[in-house]
Amino acid sequence: AQSVTQPDIHITVSEGASLELRCNYSYGATPYLFWYVQSPGQGLQLLLKYFSGDTLVQGIKGFEAEFKRSQSSFNLRKPSVHWSDAAEYFCGSAGGSYIPTFGRGTSLIVHP
Amino acid sequence: EAQVTQNPRYLITVTGKKLTVTCSQNMNHEYMSWYRQDPGLGLRQIYYSMNVEVTDKGDVPEGYKVSRKEKRNFPLILESPSPNQTSLYFCASSRGGGGSTGELFFGEGSRLTVL
């Protein structure tokens, strides 16, 4: 069975600093991978996704993620965080069954 | 506007009183799903549907029922709610086979409290 691990429950960064949110997946073959963001009181919005090809994926709002097969990771990055990026971030994967599985989420706190 | 609409957005009810949370999407998506979100547990899938009249259990189906009689609607039914079903519920839809496109469209959530 596939699973997704987000090791960090909370991440605190200063506005303007760089950001990296960690995500590890467990699946035998190459999964579909994605990141969603949940702003306070809102539903989830897709930031980016990886299916195949270039392992560095660009998303919306200046985010990017890199698929590393050797590390079973799909970490989310942003070079300069804005206060509006404060939100809950969910990493997910979908294997052969195409049924998405999500990690427990990482809460991003941005200090001014 | 493409959207997934859930109702009600907020509900307080009592143990044992049957309730239904409706979900409707206007994107002609085949795949629909229900999740519950609890602090520290992330999103857990309750039920999903690959198409009309095709439903299957997710990770936490106990205490819930669903039906998919029409493509656009996927209601979540709590026949006899209990306090451990107090949670934030999300409906989501996607074209094609479930998460194969990686893009689930989520509703805004329904916060349910069972006393």
Side-chain angles (χ1 to χ4, degrees):
Chain A
Q2 61 179 342
S3 66
V4 176
T5 302
Q6 294 179 248
D8 304 306
I9 298 174
H10 303 283
I11 291 281
T12 302
V13 298
S14 298
E15 191 168 15
S18 62
L19 170 71
E20 183 170 33
L21 301 183
R22 297 183 292 165
C23 173
N24 294 96
Y25 66 91
S26 171
Y27 182 66
T30 299
Y32 300 114
L33 297 163
F34 33 87
W35 277 95
Y36 282 80
V37 60
Q38 182 184 25
S39 298
Q42 302 293 314
L44 281 78
Q45 180 184 22
L46 181 69
L47 280 176
L48 47 79
K49 59 187 178 183
Y50 171 79
F51 288 159
S52 63
D54 193 346
T55 56
L56 185 62
V57 180
Q58 301 298 320
I60 62 171
K61 304 185 180 187
F63 285 92
E64 66 177 28
E66 186 171 12
F67 170 60
K68 292 186 177 179
R69 184 191 305 276
S70 61
Q71 299 176 18
S72 297
S73 70
F74 189 57
N75 294 349
L76 182 71
R77 300 193 295 247
K78 187 170 185 178
S80 178
V81 171
H82 188 263
W83 64 266
S84 60
D85 292 325
E88 189 89 14
Y89 291 81
F90 291 93
C91 180
S93 74
S97 68
Y98 304 128
I99 306 304
T101 298
F102 290 92
R104 295 189 175 189
T106 298
S107 179
L108 175 63
I109 301 164
V110 180
H111 282 314
Chain B
E1 180 189 355
Q3 58 185 2
V4 178
T5 304
Q6 297 178 225
N7 280 296
R9 294 287 313 281
Y10 303 91
L11 179 63
I12 299 174
T13 189
V14 295
T15 298
K17 185 175 181 181
K18 180 180 178 179
L19 69 91
T20 299
V21 185
T22 64
C23 174
S24 181
Q25 49 93 3
N26 63 0
M27 295 168 279
N28 201 36
H29 285 167
E30 289 84 6
Y31 179 89
M32 297 186 74
S33 180
W34 277 102
Y35 294 87
R36 60 178 289 173
Q37 183 180 15
D38 302 289
L41 298 178
L43 287 165
R44 294 181 293 168
Q45 190 176 53
I46 303 170
Y47 270 95
Y48 64 94
S49 169
M50 301 292 276
N51 215 323
V52 176
E53 302 292 0
V54 180
T55 64
D56 209 344
K57 297 177 181 179
D59 298 320
V60 288
E62 295 78 20
Y64 304 95
K65 285 176 58 178
V66 293
S67 68
R68 188 90 182 274
K69 293 182 170 52
E70 304 167 282
K71 198 172 189 178
R72 63 183 293 122
N73 295 324
F74 191 45
L76 179 70
I77 304 158
L78 286 72
E79 293 271 4
S80 183
S82 62
N84 65 11
Q85 292 179 298
T86 293
S87 187
L88 178 60
Y89 291 86
F90 286 101
C91 180
S93 73
S94 176
R95 65 176 174 84
S100 64
T101 66
E103 182 151 17
L104 286 167
F105 290 82
F106 283 84
E108 292 189 316
S110 297
R111 185 166 292 282
L112 171 64
T113 301
V114 183
L115 303 176

